[in-house]
Amino acid sequence: MKFHLLTIFPEFFDGPFRHGVVARAAQAGTLEIYLHDLRNWTHDLHRTVDDRPFGGGEGMLMKAEPIFSAVETIWPEKTAGQRVILLSAQGRRFTQKTARELALQNELLFICGRYEGVDERVAEHLADEELSIGDYVLSGGELAAAVIIDCVARLLPGVLGNSDSSVNESFEEGILDCPQWTRPSEFRGWRVPEVLVGGNHADIRKWRKEAAIGKTKRLRPDLLS
Ligand code: SAH
């Protein structure tokens, strides 16, 4: 799968994509990441990507032209299986379900906003959709794009060692994952639940299901309603 990032800070991604699952998947060729510097599509001396908002108000907005030119250069003819995503606090909320949907595409192109946001014509006429990673305001779309790519990457076939490990996880069945423990079985007097040490697999399965529901009730009752 191919991921394109359109950003004024390509070097931002040196960190997030150089470690762990995403780095390994890139090395194995399961995914490819292309960084595009938005300023390459500006034509003035200062390589301007922003301007003042019509109607006044504080801050600057990202201009439409460089973003349209960039996307139209990267994908001169957009095909099915290619999705343009504008990161935006106003977008549809990104969830594990959205990650599953996106993992079925061939290529994703992320437009990372900065400043006070992006000229609305990008949302209306260029992006297939606006996605938000949560109800809070970040200072740029880069972090949000990195979050989404990380989630989608680990769902791609062959990326996680044990193919089960993306199935029995939080949100996959509408509830949280069950709590888990590793050795030692006793630490500072806190003991691991006896059933897990016992080795009766039917009992363990049943216990885990109940523990997952219990934890969901306690921490995320909204998931159960
Ligand atoms: N004025 C805007 C926020 C701009 S923040 C508003 O109130 O909605 C600057 C950029 O950060 C945005 O263009 C977007 O690309 C990114 N961003 C901020 N919050 C985000 C979120 N929750 N999810 C995804 N991207 C976000």
Side-chain angles (χ1 to χ4, degrees):
M1 182 162 186
K2 291 182 181 165
F3 298 96
H4 298 267
L5 292 137
L6 185 58
T7 170
I8 57 169
F9 297 128
E11 64 282 4
F12 180 96
F13 297 97
D14 289 352
F17 297 151
R18 217 183 266 169
H19 308 278
V21 169
V22 174
R24 253 185 291 127
Q27 226 154 35
T30 314
L31 62 85
E32 293 165 49
I33 293 173
Y34 298 91
L35 298 171
H36 305 278
D37 186 342
L38 180 63
R39 292 195 198 276
N40 292 340
W41 284 275
T42 57
H43 305 289
D44 62 312
L45 189 64
H46 299 291
R47 310 180 86 200
T48 310
V49 292
D50 59 327
D51 207 339
R52 290 190 307 274
F54 277 112
E58 74 271 27
M60 301 293 268
L61 281 184
M62 292 184 83
K63 292 158 64 66
E65 302 107 294
I67 298 177
F68 272 79
S69 302
V71 172
E72 287 162 3
T73 311
I74 298 165
W75 289 342
E77 276 168 55
K78 195 158 150 282
T79 59
Q82 292 180 324
R83 289 260 285 274
V84 179
I85 293 164
L86 173 64
L87 283 319
S88 161
Q90 298 155 28
R92 173 165 80 104
R93 179 87 67 82
F94 175 76
T95 64
Q96 190 65 21
K97 189 160 162 263
T98 327
R100 291 247 170 235
E101 274 166 48
L102 295 180
L104 300 174
Q105 305 291 321
N106 300 326
E107 284 190 59
L108 301 175
L109 193 163
F110 295 91
I111 301 170
C112 304
R114 279 275 155 181
Y115 315 111
E116 288 304 312
V118 180
D119 183 305
E120 189 66 13
R121 284 166 288 201
V122 171
E124 283 181 347
H125 305 294
L126 184 64
D128 291 301
E129 71 172 326
E130 293 179 75
L131 282 184
S132 163
I133 63 162
D135 291 350
Y136 39 78
V137 179
L138 300 164
S139 55
E142 286 80 5
L143 212 46
V147 166
I148 294 175
I149 291 176
D150 189 281
C151 287
V152 172
R154 60 200 298 289
L155 298 177
L156 299 177
V159 167
L160 293 186
N162 171 359
S163 60
D164 263 351
S165 46
S166 77
V167 176
N168 299 314
E169 278 188 317
S170 293
F171 313 114
E172 289 300 344
E173 298 195 16
I175 58 173
L176 301 178
D177 197 359
C178 61
Q180 304 204 72
W181 291 261
T182 183
R183 288 186 295 179
S185 61
E186 183 172 343
F187 169 67
R188 295 191 177 175
W190 298 305
R191 291 188 58 76
V192 169
E194 213 47 52
V195 57
L196 298 179
V197 184
N200 179 326
H201 293 294
D203 285 356
I204 291 174
R205 250 196 317 278
K206 185 163 168 280
W207 186 91
R208 283 186 164 157
K209 183 88 195 179
E210 285 163 7
I213 293 171
K215 189 156 186 187
T216 309
K217 266 189 195 145
R218 244 181 327 117
L219 299 185
R220 291 295 306 276
D222 57 299
L223 292 176
L224 295 169
S225 60

